[in-house]
């Protein structure tokens, strides 16, 4: 059922001037996600199909969970946060070549947020820490556990959408300004889950390239 929202998918056997190119429902999903909503399908053969679109009652402010990664704050919309927890490295095991922990009795994939954002690891690997702060994300029926450096607090923020130049930066839905004046990036959990599903995460990110002393120009 999720396949019909993919770009290029069409049920037509030939292309005409107005149909058959697979453009339509992928645009719907993109705009629903841009408004921080969800779209789901209930279908029963021979009876019909129901498409349900859920949007927040207000789009001006967003309740977020602030987390910290390498001393930099990031925000996660709480509608995608199932819960938070603290685990030990020994709680992690491999399943289908992916790091996994048990949430209740259900195995859920685990990923380090620094790997998902392709950031350099400054404080060593997961095995070097006694306790790990985790956020359990839930998007529809999919779950993902991400490891962060620290959980800060929940608060209401004004979400500022990205400019046209940066509109589809992966894993990021916008930015907000904290009470301290810091600019804080707001993460997009559906992209984080897609990143884990679509590729194997490099557990040891490559070091950032050194920047020369030559003056940079754009």
């Amino acid at each position: 059922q999720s396949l019909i929202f993919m770009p290029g998918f069409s049920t037509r056997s030939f292309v005409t001037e107005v149909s058959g190119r697979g453009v339509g429902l992928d645009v719907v999903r993109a705009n629903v996600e841009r408004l921080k909503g969800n779209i789901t399908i209930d279908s029963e053969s021979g009876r019909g199909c129901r498409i349900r679109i859920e949007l927040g009652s207000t789009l001006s402010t967003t309740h977020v969970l602030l987390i910290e990664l390498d001393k930099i704050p990031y925000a996660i919309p709480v509608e995608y946060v199932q819960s938070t927890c603290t685990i030990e490295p020994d709680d992690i095991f491999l399943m289908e070549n992916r790091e996994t922990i048990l949430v209740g009795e259900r195995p859920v994939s685990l990923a380090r947020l620094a790997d998902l954002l392709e950031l350099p690891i400054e404080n060593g690997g997961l095995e070097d820490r006694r306790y790990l702060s985790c956020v359990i994300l839930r998007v529809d029926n999919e779950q993902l556990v991400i490891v962060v450096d620290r959980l800060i607090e929940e608060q209401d923020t004004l979400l500022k959408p990205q400019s046209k130049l940066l509109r589809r930066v992966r894993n990021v839905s916008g930015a907000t300004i904290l009470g301290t004046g810091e600019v804080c990036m707001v993460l997009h959990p559906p992209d984080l889950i897609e990143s884990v599903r679509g590729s194997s995460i490099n557990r040891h990110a490559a070091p950032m390239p050194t920047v020369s002393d030559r003056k940079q120009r754009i």
Side-chain angles (χ1 to χ4, degrees), residues 3 14 31 33 39 50 54 86 103 136 150 159 169 195:
L3 184 62
F14 58 94
N31 281 277
E33 290 182 354
I39 182 168
R50 174 182 295 170
E54 297 177 351
T86 301
V103 178
I136 304 173
R150 188 167 69 94
L159 178 63
V169 173
S195 296

Side-chain angles (χ1 to χ4, degrees), residues 168-184:
R168 280 307 297 154
V169 173
R170 187 162 48 96
N171 299 324
V172 175
S173 62
T176 187
I177 299 178
L178 303 179
T180 59
E182 292 179 276
V183 176
C184 176

